[in-house]
Amino acid sequence: MTDTAAVLLDGIEKRYGQTRAVDGAGLALFPGRVHAVVGENGAGKSTLLKIAGGVIAPDRGRVLVLDRELRPATPREAIRRGVAMVHQHFMLVPTLTGLENLALGEEPTRLGMLHLSPLAADVERLARSLRLEVPLDVPVARLSIGERQRLELLRALRHAPKVLILDEPTAVLAPAEARAVLGLARDLATRGVAVALVTHHLDEVAEFADEVTVLRRGKVVAHHPPGDPAIGDVGRLACEAVGEEPPVVARHARRGVAREPHVRHERVRLRVDDLHVDPGEAGAGSPLRGVSIELAQGEVVGVAGVEGNGQHALELALSGVLPSRRGTIALDGADVTRVTIADRRRRGLAWIPSDRHAHGIADELPARDVLLLGAFDEAARRGVVDDAELDRSFAGAVKALDLRPDAPELAAGSFSGGNQQKLVIARELRASREGRAALVLAAHPTRGVDVRAAATIRRSLVDAARDGAAVLVISSDLDELRDICDRIVVLRGGAVVATLPPDTPVSVIGEAMLG
Amino acid sequence: MSRLFTLAFLAQAVRIALPYLAASMGGIWSERAGVPNVALEGTILVAALGAVAGTTLTGSAWLGLIVGLLAGVLLQIVHALVVLIGRANAIVSGLALNLLAAGGTRFLLRALYDSSSNSPAIPGLAPPASTSLLRATVLDPTTWMVAAVVVGTIVALERTRLGLRVRAVGEHPEAAASVGVPVARTRAVALAITGATAGLAGVWLAFDQRQFSSGMSGGRGFIALATVVIAGWRPLPAVGFALLFGVAEAAQIVLQDQNVVAHQVVQALPYVLTLVVLAGWVRRARPPAALGRP
Ligand SMILES: Nc1ncnc2c1ncn2[C@@H]1O[C@H](COP(=O)(O)OP(=O)(O)OP(=O)(O)O)[C@@H](O)[C@H]1O
Ligand SMILES: [Mg+2]
């Protein structure tokens, strides 16, 4: 039966202060279809889908689940009615084990005590059949990002939901894992589940979606029913999302950042020599086993690899979060292996972290102040924070990255996911613009940001190199690496297994990653 | 020195530790659920008066015990209302409740017993004072209640539905809410448990001293809170530290009689111990991530 919607949102409005997060949008999710929801950062995608999942109550509008109103509008009721949701930001309690997280909310008990072993058996069976294997008995804090995402999916799928809402499920995943997740979504749709898929990767839409809704500033600006050729037209969807004419956008939508042929400078800015790192309990995935890399001034070097092959340990070791067991890290010739994060920053490290919630921002701080974190020395001449200076850098970020909303006092946590990332980028790249950065360490810099901002960020990274920094980009987006890097090193099993030129075909890089 | 480490000494140490044990378990329930609780002190105080008033009014120490626990629960429910519904800062609420408890008990002391310092004597549940300290401790039912509270907390926090939910709402309330855990209700239940367990500390004090005297909590709530922090918000280490404080104070009493060291030094012993442990240990402990966050 495809004539009745599994979920119907109608005339939804939701405001936060002055911001109209959702402004009269509607959405119908039908069984058997993957319905993509696309739009710029801050367009209201997450808010709209959270309303479908009972997480947020709308100010106005109707939410029907299988023709009956969702009441009370709570997650519990939504789950009970068969609506499962995987949030854009992980909704896992890091100190609890995977199994405890899965149990939370409807814990099986026996004689008043938790009784999780039958659940574990069930979940393991489900995990095997869906190929979502993940360790269940360690605290989630120790799992890699990919494992956490699998855990979220497992939880969502535990009760055979009728509706599955996926808010940017692939943003944090390596390409192979992303394809597996999308393939799973497709599969479930074939079996009659209604799937909603939020994504910024329009090529995923073309390949996996049956139906598309485009949001802009809280309104539906386009809807393409199944069979509409626009669904496969990446350029057109991008235009609709940003509301611009095709020629302008077509250029933005392509990943292309024109690279001038790299001029090799002699000055070595980063030298990593035989680096060994144990991930410990920091959830850094797998260890590093003897990595050596050298980056000269003006160079952009990409790090590719299947998630869990040491990228995260490399990021945390270079930034100074994780200690190194053996080997050295030198910035501009000075050994910084045992130097704190703050001192590394003083010597010119800029770091765009992969986990912005753990390392990049503080949710409660006003956005303007987030731009100050880790950069007190510059902002506080003579020990007093210069507010005018802060306002200027916020205004700069709004302009350069199209940061939205233009509300410096709003808590960072209230910005949409992509706009939070833009805040971090604005802060970290400020030093390089001013020519003070020695190394820009960018881990998944365009994760979760819309196509236009992604292009801007890529260009800024290249600019940082031109301004004299060495730029190390860790990314699971191989096209991104090929676009902006001078060379790509491939990590496998915690070691560098290949160094490739940027015009290497994706398939060849992929082979090196898999070995 | 020979009077240290005798059975009587150990009994003394345990007796001193009992209110710390009960109140620190209370602190753990509250703070693991994400609600800071400096109101342990006031909870002990109102429960002590409740126990005495209940006993004198009904003539039954058992009913007194129940009234005492209820008084503790009541105070913590006020804390819950102010923090969870009124969205006020939990530290401020806790401090206000402590002041309210101090003033309120003094007022009731005058109203009920027409005294500014203490109530008339009550029998309590412990055996008569003539028995040896060891016997008195072992035969006192409140000792066993404290033991039950400790074991119950250790088991419940790890192994029951409520315990799991408490840990979840104290770490990541949004995640808990997203799977349908009622965050405010879970926290309110945790606070009610805090009221009863910290209340038990107050009841124990009143029964031990066989009366209520003004301000008789004597900072025990704060020592219990320090115990919670030093123990990294985990019940088992909290037991260890509460007992350690008991030993330190018992030693202080013995050493004071013996006059071997200047008594000011000796009196400072438990507090020095707190600071040493705080400095040496607490760095490794991490508070619940959502402690104090709505
Ligand atoms: N709790 C909140 N308080 C204040 N404003 C909010 C809150 N949640 C969302 N907003 C605002 O509502 C708008 C829509 O946010 P939403 O998260 O739905 O965007 P999105 O389309 O999912 O973007 P992204 O692609 O970046 O994830 C944004 O401007 C955001 O700042
Ligand atoms: Mg979003």
Side-chain angles (χ1 to χ4, degrees):
Chain A
M1 290 287 283
T2 52
D3 50 346
T4 158
V7 166
L8 183 71
L9 300 176
D10 184 28
I12 303 290
E13 289 179 22
K14 180 75 196 176
R15 298 173 62 144
Y16 291 106
Q18 293 301 308
T19 316
R20 291 170 187 274
V22 179
D23 192 7
L27 187 70
L29 304 177
F30 288 95
R33 295 187 196 163
V34 175
H35 189 148
V37 179
V38 302
E40 286 183 296
N41 295 134
K45 306 179 295 293
S46 295
T47 308
L48 186 63
L49 290 168
K50 279 185 197 164
I51 289 170
V55 179
I56 297 176
D59 298 336
R60 190 165 300 157
R62 285 191 309 158
V63 183
L64 299 185
V65 176
L66 293 170
D67 282 340
R68 269 184 34 235
E69 192 142 353
L70 182 69
R71 203 175 329 172
T74 61
R76 177 183 284 271
E77 179 63 12
I79 293 167
R80 205 182 64 77
R81 302 270 291 275
V83 181
M85 179 156 190
V86 174
H87 289 264
Q88 180 174 4
H89 300 126
F90 290 123
M91 285 294 178
L92 297 167
V93 182
T95 47
L96 302 186
T97 66
L99 191 60
E100 285 174 327
N101 269 289
L102 285 170
L104 194 64
E106 39 188 337
E107 307 80 355
T109 58
R110 194 173 63 182
L111 304 172
M113 294 286 137
L114 287 177
H115 187 54
L116 303 184
S117 42
L119 174 66
D122 277 1
V123 170
E124 263 155 27
R125 206 168 317 116
L126 182 69
R128 261 196 311 279
S129 73
L130 298 171
R131 297 221 247 123
L132 290 170
E133 273 106 343
V134 50
L136 290 175
D137 48 6
V138 296
V140 166
R142 271 190 245 167
L143 299 181
S144 73
I145 302 276
E147 287 171 328
R148 291 183 208 192
Q149 186 64 290
R150 288 201 283 279
L151 194 62
E152 288 268 18
L153 279 164
L154 262 183
R155 175 164 70 184
L157 294 175
R158 226 183 91 206
H159 296 300
K162 297 192 190 73
V163 180
L164 178 64
I165 299 171
L166 302 171
D167 192 352
E168 301 198 32
T170 59
V172 298
L173 299 182
E177 277 182 313
R179 293 193 64 83
V181 167
L182 294 168
L184 180 62
R186 242 312 2 123
D187 252 28
L188 290 164
T190 317
R191 286 188 250 151
V193 177
V195 179
L197 172 70
V198 178
T199 181
H200 290 291
H201 298 288
L202 298 176
D203 41 352
E204 293 179 354
V205 174
E207 195 172 345
F208 292 95
D210 304 298
E211 187 172 0
V212 183
T213 293
V214 185
L215 286 180
R216 191 164 72 228
R217 305 192 176 209
K219 292 191 167 72
V220 174
V221 292
H223 173 247
H224 303 291
D228 188 332
I231 294 172
D233 188 342
V234 172
R236 173 158 171 206
L237 290 178
C239 300
E240 287 172 348
V242 299
E244 278 177 25
E245 293 308 308
V248 186
V249 176
R251 223 176 346 107
H252 285 311
R254 287 178 37 91
R255 295 164 191 275
V257 174
R259 285 288 283 140
E260 302 137 36
H262 175 63
V263 196
R264 196 172 167 86
H265 297 264
E266 284 320 304
R267 181 169 179 208
V268 174
R269 303 216 78 163
L270 171 73
R271 175 175 287 133
V272 176
D273 196 28
D274 192 32
L275 191 66
H276 287 71
V277 176
D278 294 326
E281 305 207 340
S286 52
L288 280 191
R289 301 192 178 90
V291 166
S292 304
I293 309 178
E294 210 175 273
L295 266 71
Q297 176 171 10
E299 246 191 327
V300 183
V301 173
V303 177
V306 176
E307 149 96 29
N309 276 268
Q311 299 94 320
H312 201 41
L314 178 64
E315 179 197 350
L316 295 185
L318 289 180
S319 59
V321 172
L322 270 185
S324 316
R325 186 160 53 79
R326 212 168 82 202
T328 54
I329 302 167
L331 270 184
D332 283 339
D335 186 345
V336 296
T337 320
R338 308 254 169 273
V339 162
T340 62
I341 303 181
D343 274 332
R344 289 186 202 202
R345 283 185 165 280
R346 233 162 269 143
R347 287 170 205 232
L349 168 73
W351 177 29
I352 298 161
S354 56
D355 183 349
R356 62 174 169 262
H357 291 283
H359 305 295
I361 65 172
D363 281 352
E364 301 83 12
L365 277 187
R368 199 182 65 168
D369 294 1
V370 164
L371 291 178
L372 177 75
L373 294 176
F376 295 107
D377 294 358
E378 303 99 70
R381 304 207 172 87
R382 286 192 305 260
V384 180
V385 173
D386 180 351
D387 277 340
E389 166 79 32
L390 274 184
D391 283 335
R392 264 196 302 284
S393 44
F394 190 86
V398 168
K399 200 149 152 271
L401 296 168
D402 191 25
L403 180 67
R404 243 181 275 165
D406 182 358
E409 302 293 337
L410 187 66
S414 298
F415 279 75
S416 76
N419 281 302
Q420 291 175 10
Q421 180 71 358
K422 293 180 190 175
L423 273 174
V424 175
I425 303 260
R427 178 182 70 213
E428 295 301 319
L429 291 185
R430 190 170 52 198
S432 76
R433 274 200 305 281
E434 293 164 8
R436 281 182 287 108
L439 171 67
V440 176
L441 171 61
H444 308 284
T446 58
R447 185 181 266 177
V449 300
D450 58 51
V451 276
R452 187 156 52 167
T456 310
I457 291 169
R458 292 190 187 108
R459 201 169 313 115
S460 319
L461 290 171
V462 173
D463 287 348
R466 202 198 44 221
D467 293 339
V471 180
L472 189 68
V473 187
I474 300 174
S475 176
S476 45
D477 184 340
L478 296 182
D479 288 321
E480 170 168 286
L481 295 180
R482 294 172 72 238
D483 273 345
I484 63 174
C485 296
D486 300 302
R487 72 201 139 89
I488 298 172
V489 300
V490 178
L491 275 187
R492 173 153 42 88
V496 175
V497 293
T499 302
L500 306 166
D503 53 4
T504 312
V506 170
S507 58
V508 176
I509 304 176
E511 273 165 36
M513 285 162 57
L514 293 169
Chain B
M1 287 291 158
S2 59
R3 277 166 59 200
L4 288 177
F5 310 109
T6 60
L7 272 180
F9 172 81
L10 279 182
Q12 174 79 303
V14 169
R15 289 178 68 76
I16 293 169
L18 284 173
Y20 298 155
L21 284 169
S24 63
M25 294 302 121
I28 285 174
W29 277 103
S30 169
E31 302 221 333
R32 283 299 284 270
V35 184
N37 212 316
V38 295
L40 295 178
E41 181 75 11
T43 309
I44 295 176
L45 200 57
V46 297
L49 181 62
V52 170
T55 306
T56 57
L57 294 178
T58 64
S60 154
W62 286 102
L63 288 175
L65 173 99
I66 289 167
V67 175
L69 297 186
L70 287 178
V73 172
L74 188 70
L75 186 110
Q76 287 290 340
I77 284 181
V78 175
H79 191 44
L81 290 176
V82 172
V83 173
L84 302 176
I85 296 175
R87 303 246 153 192
N89 179 295
I91 303 286
V92 175
S93 165
L95 290 173
L97 285 171
N98 283 341
L99 293 174
L100 189 71
T105 49
R106 231 176 294 129
F107 171 78
L108 284 174
L109 195 59
R110 178 155 296 282
L112 288 172
Y113 307 114
D114 193 28
S115 158
S116 60
S117 59
N118 54 267
S119 72
I122 54 158
L125 285 169
S130 57
T131 42
S132 78
L133 204 53
L134 182 64
R135 260 180 71 90
T137 309
V138 174
L139 293 180
D140 185 346
T142 45
T143 305
W144 297 104
M145 280 182 226
V146 174
V149 160
V150 167
V151 174
T153 300
I154 292 171
V155 173
L157 214 47
E158 276 308 310
R159 310 279 301 274
T160 66
R161 168 182 293 174
L162 177 68
L164 181 65
R165 291 183 168 194
V166 162
R167 287 184 284 144
V169 299
E171 282 294 330
H172 196 333
E174 298 82 11
S178 80
V179 290
V181 172
V183 175
R185 203 189 320 153
T186 305
R187 286 177 164 168
V189 171
L191 284 174
I193 295 177
T194 301
T197 49
L200 183 59
V203 173
W204 184 89
L205 270 185
F207 284 180
D208 182 56
Q209 305 191 2
R210 294 172 198 272
Q211 65 169 357
F212 177 85
S213 56
S214 182
M216 77 186 297
S217 46
R220 285 178 179 80
F222 292 110
I223 299 238
L225 194 60
T227 309
V228 173
V229 176
I230 306 168
W233 290 266
R234 288 162 304 169
L236 204 55
V239 171
F241 286 114
L243 289 172
L244 189 64
F245 286 133
V247 169
E249 277 190 50
Q252 173 209 320
I253 294 170
V254 173
L255 292 173
Q256 216 166 340
D257 294 354
Q258 297 196 334
N259 251 334
V260 277
V261 201
H263 77 277
Q264 289 90 341
V265 176
V266 172
Q267 268 173 350
L269 197 64
Y271 306 100
V272 172
L273 194 67
T274 312
L275 289 175
V276 168
V277 179
L278 267 173
W281 184 287
V282 84
R283 237 169 311 154
R284 285 178 36 205
R286 201 186 54 81
L291 187 61
R293 204 149 57 73

